[in-house]
Amino acid sequence: TDEISIRQYINKIKKHGLKEKLLSKESAKFFFDGPQSEYRLIPDILFNPNPTHIYGDNVAIIIWGTPLYGIIIRNKEIADANRKYFTMLWKTATIRKTTS
């Protein structure tokens, strides 16, 4: 199920000591809580529902649907450009206030 997949994903992040920065839409109701995940919020109209993961010289794009697609681009220049774009959005996004 989705819940099991999410738990497995979070456990892998924690096991490898990784941290993630996530941009979410302002109307989002679900977040991965814990020190591994840091969120900022952007207006719903600017939110891209297809997750993009940037790591090393790789950009992985997930396209939700039937069938589910994943595209991995292994290119330093493309990864660097996507990282700069993410950084720009991150700096302008609203810090998510947690309830704790």
Side-chain angles (χ1 to χ4, degrees):
T1 67
D2 288 341
E3 186 176 338
I4 292 170
S5 297
I6 291 169
R7 283 187 196 165
Q8 289 173 338
Y9 172 74
I10 295 298
N11 286 337
K12 282 183 182 181
I13 288 175
K14 289 178 179 179
K15 177 182 175 184
H16 295 288
L18 300 174
K19 303 234 183 240
E20 62 180 352
K21 291 183 176 182
L22 301 113
L23 290 169
S24 189
K25 59 185 175 180
E26 291 173 338
S27 66
K29 304 289 184 223
F30 176 81
F31 300 94
F32 301 142
D33 288 322
Q36 77 287 337
S37 304
E38 181 181 358
Y39 287 88
R40 295 219 177 155
L41 307 174
I42 59 175
D44 288 20
I45 191 120
L46 296 177
F47 181 74
N48 179 354
N50 300 305
T52 301
H53 303 268
I54 307 162
Y55 54 99
D57 292 343
N58 303 295
V59 177
I61 303 166
I62 308 301
I63 302 168
W64 297 110
T66 305
L68 175 70
Y69 288 96
I71 301 167
I72 298 176
I73 302 168
R74 291 183 171 95
N75 180 280
K76 181 180 180 350
E77 289 77 18
I78 292 174
D80 288 346
N82 275 268
R83 200 173 283 110
K84 286 178 186 177
Y85 179 67
F86 177 87
T87 299
M88 178 190 67
L89 287 172
W90 184 259
K91 287 179 179 180
T92 61
T94 303
I95 296 172
R96 176 181 170 242
K97 294 177 178 57
T98 58
T99 54
S100 51

